[in-house]
Amino acid sequence: MSRFLPPAAALAAAFFCIPAMASQPAPAQAFVEQAVDQAVARYDLPGIAVGVVEDGKVAAVVTRGELAAGSGEPVTPDALFRIASNSKAMTAAVLARLADQGRLRWDDPVTRHLPRFRMHDPWVTRHMQVRDLLVHNSGLGLGAGDLMLWPEPNDFTRADIIAGLAHLQPVTSFRSGYAYDNLLYVVAGEVAAAAGGKPYADLVREQVFAPLGMQGCRVGSWNVDEAGPIARPHRRVDGRNVARDAERGEVPDITSMAAGGIRCSLDDMLRWIGAWLDPAHPWLSPEQRRAAWTGHMPMPVGVRMREWDNSHFHAYGHGWRLSDVDGHWKVAHTGTLSGMYSSVILLPDLRTGIVILINGEAEDARTVLGQVLAKRYTRPDPKLDVAHYAALLDQERSLRREAEPLPDTGSRRPATRREAAGLLGVWRDPWFGEVALCPRGDGIGFASARSPRMRGRLMRVGGDWLVDWDDDGVDAEAWLHPPERRGGTLRLSKVDPEADFSYDYQDLAFVHARACP
């Protein structure tokens, strides 16, 4: 597909173009090819696109696999991937551009731009600033309220997100600690729209895509027929990669767009990191570059970081994670979204950057490959390969499972109407809305009114209650905890404590609303 680039975009595209590879691959190209092939073989990845920038130039581009397993359509550098939470740095960049233009300040109260914004604590509402939306210091718990965003599709709007925040109770005091959240990035997108005078998606196209030549990226609503090749998410079923249905026609805007909804190709992402690795690039002022890569909120330095990377520092900037790796400065982020994994790793002092895009369930593959590629620059050692880091991850998981084995739910059976009589009815949570625990067939169903994929059957596991989801793509089963007293709250919790934090069952508190229809 041909794409017209405006003059500024054409200039950026020319500077960060993807050169044709010579018959004899450059050292970086050969290294990346070998590492990618090892990761694909180890983790049976459906498709992957990886690129490396060295000293301002693209040094390696590697694609493997298919857009959809079994389709015969290869992954190419212009194939669209969901970059998930790597969207956050683009949202922060839109705000930074607006700050450069004098349309907002980082210390503006959020309510200056969104008067309807409310947190649970009125004091926090008054004092939360625009910069606080980006650095995960709100006092909310990990992933609080994410069930309004995922699983998709659902009918929660951005207005619902803003209204729902008032009902999410904090777990720590404001600005006292780090806990990753997505909802406040949705709010950040709405602040940008209010300050910029146009919808968030229009601002991303105007302030990021156009000046950097990222014309393949998609944000907001867009048409499949007007885009390039599209990588489809996959899930693992009986040891196979199974692609989700292909999208057709108009792809709608989604509520989570500013937190994790942007799609880009490898070509586009290499232009994105090229602009960040060039401190003289006029797209963003030095002041805003410093703000983005300043550690505004300290983060824990985990055991893995200390042992693998000799890290001493970890913090969150404006849409970026900051740390030190083997004595080198690292700026990075990851993205995870329903069968799509991404990673961006920048080593600014070395003018080096890495992009990894995968269209499958690939948490370990992303971690391992990111380590191997980064070590080429921070601590070259042929022993630090895919097999080495994969073995370390397997050992970590084994030790965790020994310490905290998964509950045995193999004895599950459908709950009967008689034993579930005290649970029947429509229950309501103030931010998630209603769920129905009502007879379905010869058992009991669980059905969310606003999140249609969250429907399942109520099961018994010994003396416990479990919700077995109908949709295999909702991959975090839930314990159901009845009220401890009459008029009390019904709650949920994860069966697997390591399941994705966006299944924030623990933040739900249902009260009985009425009888089943």
Side-chain angles (χ1 to χ4, degrees):
M1 181 183 69
S2 63
R3 294 193 289 263
F4 171 77
L5 299 182
L11 184 63
F15 189 75
F16 295 110
C17 64
I18 312 302
M21 293 302 161
S23 57
Q24 294 297 320
Q29 179 72 19
F31 184 92
V32 176
E33 285 181 354
Q34 181 180 39
V36 168
D37 287 340
Q38 290 174 350
V40 169
R42 175 92 185 202
Y43 295 105
D44 187 25
L45 303 176
I48 185 171
V50 178
V52 174
V53 170
E54 291 180 352
D55 196 26
K57 298 178 181 179
V58 176
V61 171
V62 177
T63 60
R64 296 288 188 267
E66 299 172 299
L67 301 175
S71 70
E73 299 177 279
V75 172
T76 54
D78 64 340
L80 277 180
F81 283 77
R82 302 173 192 233
I83 65 169
S85 284
N86 274 299
S87 305
K88 289 181 169 66
M90 296 185 186
T91 297
V94 169
L95 291 168
R97 291 267 295 182
L98 295 177
D100 268 344
Q101 296 159 19
R103 299 199 234 180
L104 60 77
R105 294 169 53 94
W106 291 116
D107 58 1
D108 283 347
V110 174
T111 53
R112 176 172 297 172
H113 302 281
L114 294 178
R116 66 188 185 281
F117 173 77
R118 297 287 184 277
M119 296 294 285
H120 189 268
D121 185 324
W123 188 93
V124 176
T125 299
R126 293 193 302 271
H127 289 85
M128 184 168 283
Q129 299 173 352
V130 172
R131 65 163 59 90
D132 293 311
L133 299 174
L134 306 182
V135 299
H136 309 296
N137 66 358
S138 67
L140 295 176
L142 178 64
D146 275 3
L147 288 172
M148 288 189 279
L149 302 178
W150 299 289
E152 296 168 336
N154 59 56
D155 73 353
F156 290 98
T157 65
R158 294 182 179 106
D160 291 328
I161 299 296
I162 294 172
L165 280 165
H167 300 288
L168 288 165
Q169 297 194 23
V171 297
T172 64
S173 58
F174 182 38
R175 296 178 182 149
S176 68
Y178 171 88
Y180 193 86
D181 73 71
N182 289 295
L183 298 193
L184 293 178
Y185 266 84
V186 176
V187 176
E190 294 304 281
V191 166
K198 58 186 67 175
Y200 165 82
D202 290 351
L203 288 169
V204 177
R205 297 185 192 103
E206 173 189 282
Q207 301 292 335
V208 179
F209 297 167
L212 298 185
M214 299 166 62
Q215 299 303 306
C217 291
R218 291 295 182 268
V219 64
S221 60
W222 51 279
N223 194 285
V224 168
D225 298 331
E226 297 172 358
I230 301 170
R232 287 157 59 184
H234 292 71
R235 57 190 178 93
R236 298 287 290 183
V237 179
D238 298 327
R240 298 179 302 113
N241 291 305
V242 177
R244 295 201 172 175
D245 292 341
E247 294 165 303
R248 310 281 182 192
E250 194 75 11
V251 175
D253 191 2
I254 56 175
T255 301
S256 62
M257 189 63 65
I262 294 174
R263 301 196 208 188
C264 290
S265 69
L266 179 62
D267 285 355
D268 296 311
M269 293 302 290
L270 290 173
R271 293 186 177 101
W272 168 247
I273 68 171
W276 281 102
L277 289 169
D278 178 7
H281 198 293
W283 167 70
L284 204 60
S285 70
E287 178 186 2
Q288 296 308 327
R289 288 174 176 273
R290 285 193 298 272
W293 288 359
T294 292
H296 297 284
M297 172 50 58
M299 297 170 63
V301 178
V303 173
R304 184 191 297 174
M305 291 181 65
R306 291 195 296 273
E307 293 182 350
W308 291 16
D309 294 333
N310 191 31
S311 297
H312 302 81
F313 161 78
H314 198 198
Y316 206 90
H318 289 169
W320 296 97
R321 297 185 183 112
L322 316 169
S323 62
D324 64 302
V325 177
D326 303 318
H328 296 275
W329 182 27
K330 176 182 173 183
V331 179
H333 214 285
T334 55
T336 305
L337 186 61
S338 302
M340 284 272 188
Y341 282 72
S342 69
S343 181
V344 172
I345 300 169
L346 305 181
L347 302 168
D349 290 341
L350 303 178
R351 294 199 68 199
T352 294
I354 299 162
V355 175
I356 300 170
L357 305 172
I358 307 174
N359 64 339
E361 296 293 342
E363 182 174 4
D364 284 5
R366 176 184 63 190
T367 299
V368 166
L369 190 56
Q371 281 293 125
V372 172
L373 297 182
K375 289 297 180 184
R376 180 176 189 271
Y377 302 96
T378 67
R379 185 184 160 197
D381 184 340
K383 292 181 290 186
L384 301 179
D385 59 4
V386 166
H388 171 79
Y389 285 110
L392 290 179
L393 281 185
D394 289 345
Q395 183 181 37
E396 276 186 19
R397 183 172 294 106
S398 177
L399 291 173
R400 285 199 307 271
R401 288 307 186 198
E402 286 180 14
E404 190 176 2
L406 279 175
D408 182 2
T409 62
S411 63
R412 70 182 64 188
R413 61 170 178 81
T416 66
R417 298 187 188 188
R418 181 173 181 176
E419 63 189 341
L423 295 174
L424 297 182
V426 176
W427 298 76
R428 188 178 189 283
D429 175 83
W431 59 267
F432 187 69
E434 293 183 346
V435 300
L437 276 168
C438 294
R440 190 180 84 175
D442 58 356
I444 307 299
F446 180 105
S448 165
R450 305 198 64 180
S451 188
R453 292 179 64 196
M454 291 189 64
R455 300 191 177 191
R457 295 181 302 159
L458 188 62
M459 312 291 283
R460 287 291 266 176
V461 180
D464 297 320
W465 305 92
L466 178 143
V467 181
D468 185 351
W469 304 114
D470 297 338
D471 186 336
D472 291 338
V474 182
D475 52 3
E477 291 187 322
W479 296 119
L480 184 146
H481 307 283
E484 295 180 355
R485 55 182 175 77
R486 185 177 179 84
T489 56
L490 180 147
R491 294 186 173 272
L492 300 179
S493 64
K494 288 191 282 275
V495 173
D496 180 357
E498 293 188 10
D500 193 301
F501 65 75
S502 286
Y503 293 105
D504 63 313
Y505 301 142
Q506 70 280 359
D507 294 314
L508 297 167
F510 295 101
V511 295
H512 192 272
R514 59 185 181 279
C516 289

